[in-house]
Amino acid sequence: MTQKNYHLSKLANNISPSPTMAVDALAKSYKQQGEDVCGFGAGEPDFDTPEFIKEACVKALTDGMTKYIPAGGLPALRDALVTKYKRDNGLTIKPTQALVTAGGKYACYLAILATCEEGDEVIIPAPYWVSYPEMVKMVGAKPVYVFAGQESGFKITPEQLEAAITPKTRMLIINSPSNPTGAIYSKEELEQIAAIAVKHQIYVMSDEIYEYLLYDGVTHHSMASLSDEAAHYVITVAGLSKTFSMTGWRLGTIVAPEPVAKAMASILSHTTSNATTFAQYGALAAIENKAAADEAVNGMLVHFDRRRNLLFDGLNSIDGISCDKAKGAFYLFPKMDSFGLSSADFATKLLNDKKVAVVPGDGFGAEGYMRLSYATSDEVIEKGLARLKDFCGAL
């Protein structure tokens, strides 16, 4: 039989698989074999979508809201985003500056796709979300990494940013609260970063998908709201997946300067077109019904906070592991480089030997660390910690 040769594009050949998806797939394969796996890999809440959001979606289906709508999103939802950003973020925008996308991940990619091209450089603070570098490479641009470890609270300094900027720099990516570390930039820190971006006239993609998942009284600040000058350069991406446990709904949002938003809307019209119509009615209910939304989010936060403390205390009780207490999102990012294993080998051996799934830090640009999600039950956390302690003790 003749061997067939399949030509793949340079883009396809240049993409690295997602390490979070790889760990999740291996953990699920063990579960299918009947193994009791303690999974800390998933980046999604383990709660159901609030009923009032589901009901709005069901009503939209019943009412026949199943047709095309504008590529940029349901007009009523874009209007609601204007209200939301004024109310919650102190940012004044027009409806034409707000877009709805098929997931927060696509919102990120769209922001990069609309502003960056071959020969450009995009500064990515590490640890970073695993998809940022791949998105940058997909448009032909070059990721430039700036590392900020546990010693600096996983946040880059203005000096580090200045040193990384070159004439080719087109964009900086900031993710606060952060995946994978849960770190949050203060208002003063964001102001310093925004001032540098304005000075050098570079875009900032501010990924704020975890903006409502906050602990210990910290406050989230949207970079675009810090000054009129910042608003000219900041592209804010967010969504409803994490806040309302709507990961499968695939709804993201973008707020951008009007010329950039117009370009993004054009790209949407030729790629995904509109995100699912009836799902957007669920999103509209989530944004418009603030009382019900706050009740749902606050209810989840009570459980997340308890789990955060449980996991934090347990990790720091294990000899050889050092962990900072995250202030946002639902991840902890402990340091485990004292065991003489790479993060990938540590994670693989832990899963094979003890059936505990964590994500190795090298996929986030942070060798020597691992990410654990506490978007899981107390039982799984306690059982997983006991297994992890046994595993580390035997190394």
Side-chain angles (χ1 to χ4, degrees), residues 214-219 305 308-309 325-328:
L214 308 170
Y215 314 98
D216 299 338
V218 300
T219 301
D305 193 24
R308 177 182 69 118
N309 289 314
K325 197 172 208 177
K327 301 292 186 182

Side-chain angles (χ1 to χ4, degrees), residues 21-22 52 76-77 89 100 104 169 194 201 206 231 240 270 317 359 362:
M21 296 298 182
F52 79 97
L77 180 53
N89 305 82
V100 182
T169 303
Q201 299 184 350
S206 180
L240 297 96
H270 292 292
S317 73
V359 186
D362 60 347

Side-chain angles (χ1 to χ4, degrees), residues 134-167:
E134 306 310 316
M135 291 174 179
V136 169
K137 288 189 287 184
M138 280 194 287
V139 305
K142 176 186 175 183
V144 175
Y145 306 113
V146 179
F147 186 74
Q150 191 180 67
E151 298 76 13
S152 59
F154 301 113
K155 296 183 286 188
I156 64 168
T157 65
E159 292 75 21
Q160 284 180 297
L161 177 57
E162 281 279 11
I165 293 174
T166 75

Side-chain angles (χ1 to χ4, degrees), residues 91-384:
L91 181 62
T92 301
I93 60 170
K94 302 174 183 176
T96 48
Q97 291 180 255
L99 300 171
V100 182
T101 60
K105 184 174 287 189
Y106 191 72
C108 293
Y109 181 53
L110 185 60
I112 297 167
L113 183 63
T115 57
C116 301
E117 58 194 358
E118 190 167 354
D120 289 339
E121 294 178 352
V122 177
I123 297 173
I124 305 177
Y128 48 70
W129 179 48
V130 296
S131 293
Y132 295 146
E134 306 310 316
M135 291 174 179
V136 169
K137 288 189 287 184
M138 280 194 287
V139 305
K142 176 186 175 183
V144 175
Y145 306 113
V146 179
F147 186 74
Q150 191 180 67
E151 298 76 13
S152 59
F154 301 113
K155 296 183 286 188
I156 64 168
T157 65
E159 292 75 21
Q160 284 180 297
L161 177 57
E162 281 279 11
I165 293 174
T166 75
K168 294 182 179 180
T169 303
R170 179 68 62 194
M171 174 181 279
L172 163 69
I173 296 177
I174 289 290
N175 178 206
S176 177
S178 162
N179 173 8
T181 68
I184 298 176
Y185 284 85
S186 69
K187 183 179 181 181
E188 292 71 26
E189 290 166 336
L190 290 174
E191 285 174 336
Q192 291 176 320
I193 290 171
I196 294 171
V198 170
K199 182 176 77 171
H200 292 279
Q201 299 184 350
I202 61 174
Y203 290 110
V204 179
M205 186 181 83
S206 180
D207 184 350
E208 302 177 14
I209 190 74
Y210 296 97
E211 64 178 309
Y212 296 108
L213 302 183
L214 308 170
Y215 314 98
D216 299 338
V218 300
T219 301
H220 166 76
H221 297 280
S222 288
M223 191 181 289
S225 70
L226 299 178
S227 69
D228 291 341
E229 293 81 8
H232 287 300
Y233 295 98
V234 176
I235 301 168
T236 305
V237 297
L240 297 96
S241 298
K242 315 298 182 177
T243 304
F244 297 106
S245 195
M246 294 172 66
T247 51
W249 292 59
R250 309 313 304 138
L251 292 173
T253 62
I254 300 177
V255 169
E258 199 155 17
V260 179
K262 183 178 179 181
M264 290 176 177
S266 295
I267 295 172
L268 282 173
S269 71
H270 292 292
T271 53
T272 62
S273 191
N274 65 273
T276 303
T277 300
F278 47 85
Q280 292 194 47
Y281 282 89
L284 179 61
I287 293 174
E288 286 190 331
N289 195 338
K290 183 167 171 55
D294 287 348
E295 182 180 358
V297 174
N298 291 335
M300 284 191 283
L301 281 173
V302 169
H303 295 287
F304 282 147
D305 193 24
R306 184 186 65 253
R307 297 167 180 177
R308 177 182 69 118
N309 289 314
L310 180 63
L311 184 59
F312 171 77
D313 291 339
L315 287 170
N316 281 310
S317 73
I318 299 173
D319 289 340
I321 293 180
S322 171
C323 184
D324 279 4
K325 197 172 208 177
K327 301 292 186 182
F330 39 66
Y331 311 103
L332 293 181
F333 201 63
K335 198 171 188 179
M336 37 63 64
D337 59 350
S338 64
F339 296 104
L341 294 173
S342 70
S343 59
D345 287 344
F346 185 99
T348 300
K349 186 172 175 58
L350 177 62
L351 183 54
N352 288 333
D353 293 359
K354 294 294 185 179
K355 304 302 179 288
V356 175
V358 302
V359 186
D362 60 347
F364 302 100
E367 180 55 69
Y369 294 83
M370 58 184 175
R371 191 193 77 174
L372 290 85
S373 167
Y374 48 88
T376 187
S377 68
D378 294 41
E379 179 188 2
V380 168
I381 293 173
E382 290 171 345
K383 190 188 303 182

